[in-house]
mmCIF file of all heavy atoms in Angstrom:
data_model
loop_
_atom_site.group_PDB
_atom_site.id
_atom_site.type_symbol
_atom_site.label_atom_id
_atom_site.label_comp_id
_atom_site.label_asym_id
_atom_site.label_seq_id
_atom_site.Cartn_x
_atom_site.Cartn_y
_atom_site.Cartn_z
ATOM 1 N N PRO A 171 -42.982 -61.103 14.252
ATOM 2 C CA PRO A 171 -43.376 -62.270 13.485
ATOM 3 C C PRO A 171 -42.191 -63.298 13.339
ATOM 4 O O PRO A 171 -41.084 -62.892 13.051
ATOM 5 C CB PRO A 171 -43.796 -61.631 12.116
ATOM 6 C CG PRO A 171 -42.992 -60.396 12.110
ATOM 7 C CD PRO A 171 -42.834 -59.903 13.465
ATOM 8 N N ILE A 172 -42.610 -64.585 13.351
ATOM 9 C CA ILE A 172 -41.539 -65.610 13.071
ATOM 10 C C ILE A 172 -41.593 -66.147 11.690
ATOM 11 O O ILE A 172 -40.619 -66.142 10.954
ATOM 12 C CB ILE A 172 -41.714 -66.749 14.148
ATOM 13 C CG1 ILE A 172 -41.536 -66.164 15.580
ATOM 14 C CG2 ILE A 172 -40.731 -67.812 13.828
ATOM 15 C CD1 ILE A 172 -41.820 -67.191 16.581
ATOM 16 N N ARG A 173 -42.836 -66.427 11.249
ATOM 17 C CA ARG A 173 -43.095 -67.010 9.952
ATOM 18 C C ARG A 173 -44.495 -67.032 9.702
ATOM 19 O O ARG A 173 -45.332 -66.808 10.477
ATOM 20 C CB ARG A 173 -42.485 -68.410 9.698
ATOM 21 C CG ARG A 173 -43.075 -69.524 10.541
ATOM 22 C CD ARG A 173 -42.378 -70.862 10.254
ATOM 23 N NE ARG A 173 -43.127 -71.896 10.928
ATOM 24 C CZ ARG A 173 -44.113 -72.629 10.343
ATOM 25 N NH1 ARG A 173 -44.528 -72.307 9.222
ATOM 26 N NH2 ARG A 173 -44.717 -73.596 11.061
ATOM 27 N N TRP A 174 -44.842 -67.321 8.393
ATOM 28 C CA TRP A 174 -46.294 -67.389 7.992
ATOM 29 C C TRP A 174 -46.740 -68.856 8.360
ATOM 30 O O TRP A 174 -46.168 -69.808 7.983
ATOM 31 C CB TRP A 174 -46.451 -67.209 6.497
ATOM 32 C CG TRP A 174 -46.272 -65.728 6.123
ATOM 33 C CD1 TRP A 174 -45.136 -65.140 5.803
ATOM 34 C CD2 TRP A 174 -47.271 -64.727 6.229
ATOM 35 N NE1 TRP A 174 -45.391 -63.783 5.514
ATOM 36 C CE2 TRP A 174 -46.618 -63.490 5.824
ATOM 37 C CE3 TRP A 174 -48.626 -64.757 6.520
ATOM 38 C CZ2 TRP A 174 -47.326 -62.355 5.759
ATOM 39 C CZ3 TRP A 174 -49.287 -63.523 6.385
ATOM 40 C CH2 TRP A 174 -48.666 -62.346 6.076
ATOM 41 N N TRP A 175 -47.850 -68.938 9.174
ATOM 42 C CA TRP A 175 -48.474 -70.223 9.572
ATOM 43 C C TRP A 175 -49.314 -70.635 8.372
ATOM 44 O O TRP A 175 -49.451 -71.859 8.176
ATOM 45 C CB TRP A 175 -49.227 -69.918 10.838
ATOM 46 C CG TRP A 175 -49.750 -71.158 11.529
ATOM 47 C CD1 TRP A 175 -51.091 -71.637 11.579
ATOM 48 C CD2 TRP A 175 -49.010 -72.070 12.306
ATOM 49 N NE1 TRP A 175 -51.073 -72.793 12.301
ATOM 50 C CE2 TRP A 175 -49.917 -73.098 12.844
ATOM 51 C CE3 TRP A 175 -47.598 -72.118 12.659
ATOM 52 C CZ2 TRP A 175 -49.498 -74.141 13.537
ATOM 53 C CZ3 TRP A 175 -47.172 -73.259 13.441
ATOM 54 C CH2 TRP A 175 -48.109 -74.290 13.869
ATOM 55 N N SER A 176 -50.045 -69.682 7.792
ATOM 56 C CA SER A 176 -50.827 -69.919 6.547
ATOM 57 C C SER A 176 -50.733 -68.757 5.693
ATOM 58 O O SER A 176 -49.998 -67.750 6.047
ATOM 59 C CB SER A 176 -52.270 -70.303 6.891
ATOM 60 O OG SER A 176 -52.857 -69.144 7.338
ATOM 61 N N SER A 177 -51.464 -68.708 4.659
ATOM 62 C CA SER A 177 -51.366 -67.474 3.728
ATOM 63 C C SER A 177 -51.937 -66.244 4.280
ATOM 64 O O SER A 177 -51.667 -65.104 3.986
ATOM 65 C CB SER A 177 -52.079 -67.748 2.465
ATOM 66 O OG SER A 177 -53.477 -68.102 2.646
ATOM 67 N N ALA A 178 -52.761 -66.415 5.422
ATOM 68 C CA ALA A 178 -53.353 -65.217 6.115
ATOM 69 C C ALA A 178 -53.108 -65.169 7.591
ATOM 70 O O ALA A 178 -53.759 -64.309 8.271
ATOM 71 C CB ALA A 178 -54.883 -65.254 5.822
ATOM 72 N N VAL A 179 -52.285 -66.032 8.138
ATOM 73 C CA VAL A 179 -52.029 -65.948 9.521
ATOM 74 C C VAL A 179 -50.476 -66.076 9.871
ATOM 75 O O VAL A 179 -49.759 -66.832 9.177
ATOM 76 C CB VAL A 179 -52.668 -67.238 10.228
ATOM 77 C CG1 VAL A 179 -52.321 -67.361 11.695
ATOM 78 C CG2 VAL A 179 -54.191 -67.204 10.061
ATOM 79 N N VAL A 180 -50.025 -65.275 10.771
ATOM 80 C CA VAL A 180 -48.629 -65.055 11.139
ATOM 81 C C VAL A 180 -48.413 -65.784 12.459
ATOM 82 O O VAL A 180 -49.248 -65.589 13.402
ATOM 83 C CB VAL A 180 -48.212 -63.636 11.227
ATOM 84 C CG1 VAL A 180 -46.839 -63.512 11.794
ATOM 85 C CG2 VAL A 180 -48.277 -63.006 9.816
ATOM 86 N N LEU A 181 -47.345 -66.533 12.543
ATOM 87 C CA LEU A 181 -46.913 -67.119 13.861
ATOM 88 C C LEU A 181 -45.982 -66.031 14.408
ATOM 89 O O LEU A 181 -44.999 -65.598 13.804
ATOM 90 C CB LEU A 181 -46.068 -68.352 13.650
ATOM 91 C CG LEU A 181 -45.501 -68.997 14.871
ATOM 92 C CD1 LEU A 181 -46.491 -69.513 15.880
ATOM 93 C CD2 LEU A 181 -44.432 -70.124 14.506
ATOM 94 N N ALA A 182 -46.303 -65.539 15.636
ATOM 95 C CA ALA A 182 -45.654 -64.460 16.242
ATOM 96 C C ALA A 182 -45.223 -64.862 17.685
ATOM 97 O O ALA A 182 -45.846 -65.615 18.383
ATOM 98 C CB ALA A 182 -46.513 -63.256 16.289
ATOM 99 N N SER A 183 -44.074 -64.217 18.164
ATOM 100 C CA SER A 183 -43.639 -64.428 19.489
ATOM 101 C C SER A 183 -43.823 -63.072 20.195
ATOM 102 O O SER A 183 -43.398 -62.028 19.730
ATOM 103 C CB SER A 183 -42.125 -64.677 19.526
ATOM 104 O OG SER A 183 -41.597 -64.785 20.860
ATOM 105 N N CYS A 184 -44.607 -63.130 21.259
ATOM 106 C CA CYS A 184 -45.028 -61.838 22.031
ATOM 107 C C CYS A 184 -44.634 -61.946 23.426
ATOM 108 O O CYS A 184 -44.535 -63.087 24.068
ATOM 109 C CB CYS A 184 -46.566 -61.682 21.976
ATOM 110 S SG CYS A 184 -47.158 -61.516 20.159
ATOM 111 N N THR A 185 -44.472 -60.820 24.121
ATOM 112 C CA THR A 185 -44.319 -60.780 25.501
ATOM 113 C C THR A 185 -45.390 -61.459 26.260
ATOM 114 O O THR A 185 -46.531 -61.219 25.908
ATOM 115 C CB THR A 185 -44.087 -59.346 25.965
ATOM 116 O OG1 THR A 185 -42.919 -58.787 25.287
ATOM 117 C CG2 THR A 185 -43.854 -59.184 27.398
ATOM 118 N N ALA A 186 -45.066 -62.167 27.229
ATOM 119 C CA ALA A 186 -46.146 -62.699 28.211
ATOM 120 C C ALA A 186 -46.235 -61.790 29.368
ATOM 121 O O ALA A 186 -45.445 -61.622 30.217
ATOM 122 C CB ALA A 186 -45.666 -64.090 28.643
ATOM 123 N N GLU A 187 -47.395 -61.077 29.349
ATOM 124 C CA GLU A 187 -47.586 -59.904 30.217
ATOM 125 C C GLU A 187 -47.398 -60.289 31.728
ATOM 126 O O GLU A 187 -46.834 -59.523 32.510
ATOM 127 C CB GLU A 187 -48.953 -59.249 30.006
ATOM 128 C CG GLU A 187 -49.197 -57.959 30.698
ATOM 129 C CD GLU A 187 -50.413 -57.369 30.206
ATOM 130 O OE1 GLU A 187 -51.580 -58.057 30.155
ATOM 131 O OE2 GLU A 187 -50.448 -56.185 29.946
ATOM 132 N N ALA A 188 -47.909 -61.431 32.091
ATOM 133 C CA ALA A 188 -48.015 -61.713 33.588
ATOM 134 C C ALA A 188 -46.670 -62.418 34.037
ATOM 135 O O ALA A 188 -46.519 -62.717 35.138
ATOM 136 C CB ALA A 188 -49.183 -62.684 33.833
ATOM 137 N N GLN A 189 -45.722 -62.659 33.100
ATOM 138 C CA GLN A 189 -44.530 -63.316 33.455
ATOM 139 C C GLN A 189 -43.331 -62.629 32.794
ATOM 140 O O GLN A 189 -43.038 -62.780 31.680
ATOM 141 C CB GLN A 189 -44.519 -64.789 32.914
ATOM 142 C CG GLN A 189 -45.616 -65.676 33.477
ATOM 143 C CD GLN A 189 -45.552 -67.124 33.102
ATOM 144 O OE1 GLN A 189 -44.468 -67.649 32.981
ATOM 145 N NE2 GLN A 189 -46.729 -67.743 32.762
ATOM 146 N N PRO A 190 -42.767 -61.643 33.646
ATOM 147 C CA PRO A 190 -41.629 -60.912 33.189
ATOM 148 C C PRO A 190 -40.495 -61.763 32.587
ATOM 149 O O PRO A 190 -40.020 -62.766 33.134
ATOM 150 C CB PRO A 190 -41.116 -60.079 34.348
ATOM 151 C CG PRO A 190 -42.365 -60.054 35.281
ATOM 152 C CD PRO A 190 -43.085 -61.402 35.063
ATOM 153 N N GLY A 191 -40.048 -61.381 31.348
ATOM 154 C CA GLY A 191 -39.031 -62.106 30.628
ATOM 155 C C GLY A 191 -39.443 -63.281 29.842
ATOM 156 O O GLY A 191 -38.643 -63.846 29.076
ATOM 157 N N ALA A 192 -40.731 -63.694 29.967
ATOM 158 C CA ALA A 192 -41.230 -64.864 29.197
ATOM 159 C C ALA A 192 -41.963 -64.376 27.979
ATOM 160 O O ALA A 192 -42.289 -63.244 27.806
ATOM 161 C CB ALA A 192 -42.190 -65.649 30.067
ATOM 162 N N THR A 193 -42.059 -65.322 27.039
ATOM 163 C CA THR A 193 -42.740 -65.061 25.723
ATOM 164 C C THR A 193 -43.903 -66.102 25.517
ATOM 165 O O THR A 193 -43.886 -67.141 26.270
ATOM 166 C CB THR A 193 -41.789 -64.962 24.589
ATOM 167 O OG1 THR A 193 -41.156 -66.246 24.453
ATOM 168 C CG2 THR A 193 -40.742 -63.876 24.812
ATOM 169 N N ARG A 194 -44.651 -65.830 24.508
ATOM 170 C CA ARG A 194 -45.704 -66.689 24.225
ATOM 171 C C ARG A 194 -45.953 -66.696 22.690
ATOM 172 O O ARG A 194 -45.853 -65.642 22.008
ATOM 173 C CB ARG A 194 -46.995 -66.372 24.835
ATOM 174 C CG ARG A 194 -48.117 -67.413 24.794
ATOM 175 C CD ARG A 194 -49.286 -66.864 25.558
ATOM 176 N NE ARG A 194 -50.296 -68.008 25.707
ATOM 177 C CZ ARG A 194 -51.510 -67.922 26.452
ATOM 178 N NH1 ARG A 194 -51.833 -66.719 26.892
ATOM 179 N NH2 ARG A 194 -52.311 -68.932 26.469
ATOM 180 N N LEU A 195 -46.095 -67.903 22.000
ATOM 181 C CA LEU A 195 -46.409 -67.919 20.655
ATOM 182 C C LEU A 195 -47.931 -67.763 20.400
ATOM 183 O O LEU A 195 -48.753 -68.348 21.029
ATOM 184 C CB LEU A 195 -45.929 -69.227 20.039
ATOM 185 C CG LEU A 195 -44.442 -69.559 20.115
ATOM 186 C CD1 LEU A 195 -44.115 -70.855 19.396
ATOM 187 C CD2 LEU A 195 -43.612 -68.407 19.641
ATOM 188 N N TRP A 196 -48.212 -66.894 19.423
ATOM 189 C CA TRP A 196 -49.603 -66.620 19.007
ATOM 190 C C TRP A 196 -49.790 -66.776 17.451
ATOM 191 O O TRP A 196 -48.845 -66.642 16.691
ATOM 192 C CB TRP A 196 -49.967 -65.148 19.232
ATOM 193 C CG TRP A 196 -50.118 -64.835 20.737
ATOM 194 C CD1 TRP A 196 -49.124 -64.637 21.692
ATOM 195 C CD2 TRP A 196 -51.329 -64.636 21.502
ATOM 196 N NE1 TRP A 196 -49.582 -64.404 22.852
ATOM 197 C CE2 TRP A 196 -50.994 -64.324 22.794
ATOM 198 C CE3 TRP A 196 -52.565 -64.649 21.089
ATOM 199 C CZ2 TRP A 196 -51.925 -64.089 23.801
ATOM 200 C CZ3 TRP A 196 -53.563 -64.396 22.014
ATOM 201 C CH2 TRP A 196 -53.256 -64.145 23.452
#
């Protein structure tokens, strides 16, 4: 988790499965 996007949603950085070494924000 990076920070709270809202009171019920988290901004997170996750591994990008199809691209080794890359990440994606969710």
Side-chain angles (χ1 to χ4, degrees):
I172 298 175
R173 66 180 186 88
W174 289 93
W175 191 253
S176 69
S177 61
V179 176
V180 171
L181 173 68
S183 176
C184 302
T185 295
E187 190 171 49
Q189 299 185 39
T193 60
R194 191 176 191 182
L195 298 185
W196 289 77

